[in-house]
């Protein structure tokens, strides 16, 4: 598979990616290589990874606890302390080996440590392969509020090895599929149709095309002033729903993809009501059915709407949605009444 040229770095695939990583570490004079893992990626991914990294440079592994609940500044402080105690300096390299929490948090930790050290992303979940590891967004949550603290910073390279997907659950694969559907409905309807029809899907091709799309969008609008906002389709309400579940002790957490899949159903419904997005397409988005069957309870709607007020796209307290006129045809910064938001959540439930 050929590599993809992103802004200042390349996304490499499979065996070639390991060769490129070994080349990078050979030629960059790094003092120490820190590898950020969680308990799952340390057990299931690290053994393969380390076998494929040819270097004599000192390697130190730093492990954090998995889960969105740990994607916070406290964990970052733990990692900064560990790097410091292990002798990290400006010529250290941080390799992130994990899902979206590890790549987002690791990129943020690296970008702030001594005003920035190099980092390399090695995503091990479908979601982090097709979305989180590419595009330069790094950061952590603030309480349950998603990705409130962070900065744009690019890795030195991204290494995609789809073998790592054998280490994750079916639920995690579905979570990543939600992001691929997002690329499909907003940017490339063929991709959406392939998932919808579920015929001879080649995961490597789906991943490659998703990264190509994300990269095209990010190259055009790296700081999300315009078209990059389409990558938030389903995320405005989806993030609020995800945060709500994270915050509720009596509710099971949703994966990111499950939450944004619900968000995409609701935001498709809003699109139909406000922009004439065809109702049969709303049905299609709903029928792809990759959200889990969680119902949104009527008594929870006010708390979810309250959480919307913290969305990063808001300006002057006004919530801004990305909606669709049609597939591949979007409208940015749409205002939606509370009544319609509630109606859309009711629509998702039936
Ligand atoms: N995950 C959305 C973006 O990277 O812009």
């Amino acid at each position: 598979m050929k590599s993809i040229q992103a802004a200042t770095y390349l996304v490499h695939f499979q065996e070639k990616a390991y060769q490129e990583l070994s080349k990078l570490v050979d030629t960059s004079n790094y003092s120490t290589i820190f590898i950020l893992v969680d308990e799952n990626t340390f057990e299931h991914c690290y053994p393969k990874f380390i076998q494929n990294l040819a270097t004599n440079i000192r390697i130190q592994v730093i492990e954090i606890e998995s889960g969105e609940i740990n994607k916070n500044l406290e964990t970052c402080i733990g990692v900064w302390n560990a790097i410091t105690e292990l002798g990290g300096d400006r010529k250290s390299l941080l390799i992130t080996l994990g899902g979206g929490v590890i790549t987002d948090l690791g990129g943020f930790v690296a970008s702030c440590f001594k005003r920035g050290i190099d980092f390399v992303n090695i995503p091990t979940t479908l979601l982090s392969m097709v979305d989180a590891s590419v595009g330069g967004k790094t950061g952590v949550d603030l309480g349950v509020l998603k990705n409130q603290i962070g900065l744009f910073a690019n890795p030195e390279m991204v290494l995609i090895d789809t073998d790592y997907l054998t280490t994750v659950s079916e639920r995690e694969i579905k979570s990543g599929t939600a992001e691929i559907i997002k690329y499909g409905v907003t940017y490339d309807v063929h991709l959406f149709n392939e998932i919808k029809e579920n015929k001879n899907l080649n995961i490597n091709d789906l991943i490659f095309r998703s990264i190509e799309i994300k990269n095209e969008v990010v190259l055009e609008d790296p700081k999300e002033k315009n078209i990059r906002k389409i990558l938030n389709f389903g995320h405005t309400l989806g993030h609020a729903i995800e945060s709500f579940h994270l915050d509720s002790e009596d509710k099971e957490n949703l994966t990111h993809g499950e939450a944004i899949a619900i968000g995409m159903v609701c935001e498709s419904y809003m699109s139909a009501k406000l922009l004439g997005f065809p109702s049969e397409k709303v049905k299609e988005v709903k029928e792809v059915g990759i959200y889990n069957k969680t119902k949104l309870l009527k008594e929870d709607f006010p708390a979810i709407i309250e959480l919307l007020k913290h969305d990063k796209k808001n300006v002057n307290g006004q919530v801004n949605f990305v909606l669709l006129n049609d597939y591949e045809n979007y409208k940015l910064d749409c205002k939606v009444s509370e009544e319609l938001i509630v109606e859309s959540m009711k629509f998702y439930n039936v």
Side-chain angles (χ1 to χ4, degrees), residues 131 134 137 182 214 224 228 231-232 235:
D131 188 16
V134 178
K137 281 189 180 175
K182 173 194 77 180
K214 174 143 191 191
E224 201 174 292
R228 186 166 181 169
L231 303 182
N232 293 314
H235 284 59

Side-chain angles (χ1 to χ4, degrees), residues 26-38:
D26 254 4
T27 53
S28 302
N29 202 22
Y30 291 123
S31 52
T32 309
I33 299 173
F34 292 95
I35 305 177
L36 185 67
V37 292
D38 62 30

